[in-house]
Amino acid sequence: MTAWDLSHFYEPHVLCYHRELDHQNGHDNVRVFVRGWVAFLSCENDLLMIRVTQPHMEGYCQQDHQPLTFASSFPRLLNDVVMVSWPEVGRRLAAVSGEVSYPNRHIDLLDEVNVFGFTMELSEVNITSESGSLGAPLLDGEGNVVGVLHGGNGRFSFFISLGDLREVLNQWGFILAVPA
Ligand SMILES: [Zn+2]
């Protein structure tokens, strides 16, 4: 399946932090979302990228939306990491910290039945997560992305590994800057 195929039955809508605040302080009676587009898709790595175009953002929010940076290396075992998620509408910026329990387990060693044929490696962290948090970034102690939430088993959470993220983003034509 391609991003184009997916666009026929999935229309992502994005709520930015500022418009969420506008809703909470009463400026927006209802939450206002902006239309996004599936720009890239990697079925084997369970990743997709949603793009929001500049013309859409001009009519939606004029404030800065700072991009996250990616770490150059994954933290060591037992180092602290933080997941920042938005598990459901209204519960913005739910942050939870934990420790790295293993950096890269191949998905075949975790899922007894890998029905979707995923091929990525997953980083294991001793935090719990909710299903609505899928796609949440995992950050290291310096605030750099080191993983993206794939799922959990009620005790540990599993994040698409930094190596897989870098590889997929390179395939999509993005060259990641390494933090200074
Ligand atoms: Zn905004």
Side-chain angles (χ1 to χ4, degrees):
M1 177 179 282
T2 65
W4 173 250
D5 297 331
L6 184 59
S7 70
H8 289 95
F9 51 90
Y10 175 52
E11 289 187 5
H13 288 79
V14 176
L15 172 65
C16 91
Y17 178 70
H18 311 106
R19 293 304 293 259
E20 169 66 9
L21 292 182
D22 283 347
H23 173 63
Q24 299 218 347
N25 67 23
H27 187 264
D28 288 341
N29 288 333
V30 295
R31 288 189 171 87
V32 182
F33 294 76
V34 64
R35 172 74 198 272
W37 307 87
V38 177
F40 297 99
L41 178 69
S42 171
C43 293
E44 62 272 26
N45 291 285
D46 193 25
L47 284 171
L48 62 78
M49 178 182 285
I50 296 170
R51 172 178 286 154
V52 180
T53 63
Q54 194 65 35
H56 281 101
M57 286 307 285
E58 280 172 13
Y60 180 73
C61 181
Q62 296 291 330
Q63 301 196 55
D64 272 349
H65 302 91
Q66 292 290 327
L68 292 169
T69 53
F70 282 76
S72 53
S73 61
F74 192 78
R76 294 168 184 266
L77 286 181
L78 299 180
N79 272 20
D80 289 336
V81 283
V82 174
M83 179 181 75
V84 182
S85 69
W86 198 319
E88 58 192 56
V89 173
R91 287 177 60 202
R92 60 191 160 89
L93 294 181
V96 57
S97 66
E99 298 166 335
V100 173
S101 50
Y102 203 83
N104 52 344
R105 297 192 193 280
H106 196 277
I107 191 160
D108 282 336
L109 302 176
L110 292 169
D111 278 359
E112 289 188 13
V113 182
N114 183 3
V115 290
F116 297 111
F118 294 135
T119 61
M120 68 283 200
E121 293 189 328
L122 296 166
S123 305
E124 183 180 294
V125 180
N126 67 345
I127 59 176
T128 55
S129 50
E130 298 169 82
S131 58
S133 301
L134 301 183
L138 183 71
L139 308 176
D140 65 11
E142 293 167 355
N144 298 311
V145 177
V146 295
V148 168
L149 183 64
H150 168 74
N153 62 8
R155 179 153 182 241
F156 291 94
S157 292
F158 300 95
F159 294 82
I160 299 165
S161 73
L162 183 59
D164 282 297
L165 291 175
R166 286 188 167 278
E167 193 175 315
V168 170
L169 285 167
N170 271 320
Q171 287 169 9
W172 291 345
F174 296 90
I175 307 298
L176 296 184
V178 174

